[in-house]
Every structure is written in structure tokens, then in C-alpha cells.
Amino acid sequence: MPSAQTASQEELKAAKVPIAWRDQCSALLIPLNTCRRKTLYMPWECNDERHTYEKCQYDDLMRRMREMSKLKLQQAEEAEEA
């Protein structure tokens, strides 16, 4: 389910993004890693890219938690009916 923030497999492979980091926010990770390499991973650099990526990760976590709570509620209602 690709979104606007998901890079294609070819882009991720070209950017050498590890498989574990290929998630919903992968398109934001590519410019962040490029900036990090360019600035030698200085912690005070690339703040805009890092905050954008972290916000995407947070939003994705909240979305998954909402889905899980809906699923648990639905399962509880089905258990009550049975």
C-alpha cells in the first residue's frame, strides 16, 4: 500500500536503505540520510529533515495504535455476541 511518503523499492535499493527501515516513511528517510552523510552526522545539522521523519514515524505509530484498538474493540464485541 504505497503512500506519498513511501519510496519505491528501486529508490530504496539505490539509496542503500536497510530493509528494516523500509516503512511508510521511507521516502523521508532518503533525504535525511543524504543530509547526514553530507554533514558527517553532526547532531545539530539536518534538523528539518529529522523532525519531518520523526513526525511521520509518530503519526504512523498513532495510526497503527488506532487500528489495533478498533480491532480489539471489534473482537470484544464479537466475543460478547457469541
Side-chain angles (χ1 to χ4, degrees), residues 27-80:
L28 300 173
L29 184 60
I30 294 171
L32 174 59
N33 284 342
T34 303
C35 178
R36 285 175 170 168
R37 284 187 213 104
K38 192 184 326 179
T39 59
L40 302 175
Y41 288 84
M42 297 295 172
W44 53 85
E45 299 290 335
C46 309
N47 285 330
D48 292 337
E49 293 90 346
R50 182 172 50 88
H51 288 299
T52 303
Y53 177 71
E54 289 174 352
K55 173 85 167 89
C56 178
Q57 289 284 12
Y58 176 77
D59 291 343
D60 187 44
L61 173 68
M62 292 295 112
R63 179 190 57 79
R64 288 184 285 125
M65 287 176 55
R66 281 192 303 272
E67 287 178 8
M68 183 58 74
S69 65
K70 286 179 186 177
L71 180 63
K72 285 183 179 181
L73 182 62
Q74 183 182 24
Q75 289 174 347
E77 289 174 353
E78 289 175 359
E80 286 179 4

Side-chain angles (χ1 to χ4, degrees), residues 10-25:
E10 293 80 24
E11 292 172 326
L12 295 168
K13 195 173 190 180
K16 298 180 182 175
V17 175
I19 292 176
W21 296 100
R22 297 180 185 189
D23 59 2
Q24 295 295 320
C25 303

